[in-house]
Amino acid sequence: DQQVKQNSPSLSVQEGRISILNCDYTNSMFDYFLWYKKYPAEGPTFLISISSIKDKNEDGRFTVFLNKSAKHLSLHIVPSQPGDSAVYFCAASAPNTNAGKSTFGDGTTLTVKP
Amino acid sequence: NAGVTQTPKFQVLKTGQSMTLQCAQDMNHEYMSWYRQDPGMGLRLIHYSVGAGITDQGEVPNGYNVSRSTTEDFPLRLLSAAPSQTSVYFCASSYGAETSTDTQYFGPGTRLTVL
C-alpha cells in the first residue's frame, strides 16, 4: 500500500504561469512533509517543507499548502521558470522518526515551456 | 565541503558478480541511508544507519549488505548481482535528530546495470 501518492506523473506549464503539483497521503501519523527537486543525473535536493501544525509555508516563488482533513498537500510555483523543469518528489515523515525514514511518492515531472 | 559523494557514477555488472557502492559525507551527519530509484518510481529505502556501528533494514533490503565503521562512510554491497537490481542508487545523509523535521542531503547517484 503506497502511503504517499503523486497521481500526476507529468505536468507541463508555460513560463510565467503557475505550476501546481499535488500529493496525497494515507498515513494519518505523518506530521512533516517535504518536497525535493531532482534534475537529471543529479541527486534530489530539498526544496521546501511544512509541519502538520501549519497549513501553508512560503519560500520565495514556492508555497506548500497542507490540508490535513483531506490528507492532501500541494506545491505551488509562481511564476514558473524554465529552470524549474525537474522531477518533484513529495515525502512524509512520522513523529519520532528521522528524515532518513521518510516515505517518498513516485514523483511528478514538471516541464516549463519558454 | 563536498557534501555527499558516491562512486562509481556508472557500473555494469554481470549476473552473479558482487560489488560495493561507495558513499561518503563530510558534514558529520549521524544518519545515512541508501535508496534505489527505478524508472517511474519514487525512492525506496534499502538500508539505513543511525550512527557508526548501527545499521538497519529499510523497505527493500534483500540482496544488499551495509556496514558503518565510521561516521563518514556507508558502503552498500551487492552480494550476487541480479538484473532486478538494475537501478539508480542514491546515498543520503542527515543530522540525525530524533525528530521528523530533518532533511536529507543526497549524493549524485550511481547508475547500475546488471546484465
Side-chain angles (χ1 to χ4, degrees):
Chain A
D1 178 35
Q2 197 168 11
Q3 298 186 64
V4 177
K5 296 181 182 179
Q6 295 177 255
N7 291 318
S8 298
S10 62
L11 174 68
S12 181
V13 301
Q14 207 67 33
E15 181 179 6
R17 306 295 292 269
I18 184 172
S19 296
I20 300 176
L21 293 85
N22 295 305
C23 179
D24 298 295
Y25 62 96
T26 58
N27 188 343
S28 58
M29 294 299 293
F30 289 146
D31 72 340
Y32 195 67
F33 304 89
L34 310 95
W35 286 93
Y36 288 87
K37 177 179 182 180
K38 184 185 177 305
Y39 291 118
E42 294 184 11
T45 56
F46 170 73
L47 183 60
I48 192 170
S49 62
I50 188 167
S51 166
S52 61
I53 63 173
K54 296 185 176 182
D55 55 17
K56 175 183 175 181
N57 188 26
E58 193 171 354
D59 183 2
R61 296 186 296 113
F62 302 91
T63 303
V64 56
F65 295 91
L66 176 62
N67 183 333
K68 289 188 292 294
S69 61
K71 293 190 177 68
H72 176 84
L73 63 155
S74 60
L75 174 67
H76 293 212
I77 306 173
V78 183
S80 301
Q81 300 174 353
D84 296 329
S85 297
V87 179
Y88 290 79
F89 290 102
C90 172
S93 300
N96 300 319
T97 61
N98 185 274
K101 294 188 72 177
S102 297
T103 301
F104 285 80
D106 288 344
T108 296
T109 299
L110 173 66
T111 302
V112 180
K113 298 179 179 179
Chain B
N1 190 337
V4 180
T5 58
Q6 291 183 239
T7 55
K9 290 191 186 306
F10 302 94
Q11 183 70 49
V12 179
L13 292 178
K14 294 181 179 179
T15 297
Q17 288 185 313
S18 62
M19 79 158 294
T20 299
L21 279 63
Q22 301 293 343
C23 174
Q25 53 91 8
D26 61 359
M27 297 175 282
N28 203 30
H29 286 170
E30 288 295 321
Y31 206 105
M32 296 185 74
S33 310
W34 274 103
Y35 293 88
R36 60 177 288 174
Q37 185 193 9
D38 299 318
M41 297 183 69
L43 301 167
R44 292 187 292 169
L45 184 64
I46 304 171
H47 284 286
Y48 64 96
S49 169
V50 301
I54 307 170
T55 63
D56 206 346
Q57 297 180 350
E59 180 186 357
V60 288
N62 292 340
Y64 307 95
N65 268 358
V66 291
S67 60
R68 184 95 179 272
S69 56
T70 66
T71 299
E72 295 78 19
D73 301 299
F74 190 43
L76 177 72
R77 297 184 188 85
L78 278 70
L79 309 173
S80 177
S84 61
Q85 294 179 304
T86 293
S87 188
V88 181
Y89 292 84
F90 292 101
C91 179
S93 71
S94 58
Y95 288 105
E98 282 303 316
T99 169
S100 57
T101 61
D102 198 4
T103 60
Q104 294 183 86
Y105 297 80
F106 285 85
T110 294
R111 185 175 295 274
L112 176 68
T113 301
V114 183
L115 303 175

